[in-house]
Amino acid sequence: PPLTPSAYKGNAGRVAVIGGCADYAGAPFFASQAALKVGADLSHTFCSAGAAPVIKGYSPELIVHGYLNEGAEASAVETA
């Protein structure tokens, strides 16, 4: 959508990327970065606690949440 003076962060789209562990931090980073490059305002990355500092180190533009337990099944992850 076109930007307007009354627009605020998140009006042009919000994206959540879920995935990644300490060994595989690249895919969630690139997915989140791609969302920002194509126009999303906010990109939240939900990953394991071990991957969070790695992904945060790649780019200050991303919002990274290190909530997932490595080795836990997706069905076992509780929603907030």
Side-chain angles (χ1 to χ4, degrees), residues 20-46:
C21 64
D23 293 333
Y24 299 101
F29 163 73
F30 285 117
S32 296
Q33 273 299 111
L36 292 176
K37 298 265 185 211
V38 298
D41 281 337
L42 295 173
S43 182
H44 292 266
T45 305
F46 295 90

Side-chain angles (χ1 to χ4, degrees), residues 31-66:
S32 296
Q33 273 299 111
L36 292 176
K37 298 265 185 211
V38 298
D41 281 337
L42 295 173
S43 182
H44 292 266
T45 305
F46 295 90
C47 59
S48 69
V54 176
I55 296 172
K56 285 180 187 178
Y58 290 153
S59 173
E61 298 174 321
L62 303 179
I63 302 168
V64 182
H65 308 277

